[in-house]
Amino acid sequence: MESTIGLYKTELINRQGPWRTLADVELATAEWVDWYNHTRLHGELGHIPPVEHEAAYYLQNPPNTQVTATI
């Protein structure tokens, strides 16, 4: 987690500042998170975005939707 926070601060906060309002930071953060999850190519995942890797994982390993009742 610390490396993600460092990446966020280096790539977004420090590069694009100074920030005028908190709303500017919030919008930029939402855009950065979207890029981080949907566009960024991750080398450890075969140079695909994390969201594509997750989708492929769940196609091969569907979540257990079976509900068991306990009394």
Side-chain angles (χ1 to χ4, degrees):
M1 190 66 187
E2 287 181 19
S3 63
T4 302
I5 292 170
L7 184 64
Y8 161 77
K9 289 165 75 175
T10 300
E11 292 187 349
L12 179 69
I13 298 302
N14 296 339
R15 262 191 209 157
Q16 295 185 19
W19 301 93
R20 297 187 196 282
T21 67
L22 180 58
D24 292 339
V25 175
E26 289 174 343
L27 179 59
T29 298
E31 291 171 347
W32 185 84
V33 169
D34 181 68
W35 165 82
Y36 192 84
N37 290 323
H38 294 93
T39 306
R40 170 183 66 103
L41 302 180
H42 195 292
E44 294 293 320
L45 303 177
H47 297 287
I48 61 172
V51 73
E52 287 182 27
H53 184 269
E54 184 178 18
Y57 173 84
Y58 283 115
L59 279 175
Q60 293 179 352
N61 305 292
N64 185 0
T65 57
Q66 191 175 41
V67 177
T68 58
T70 57
I71 298 176

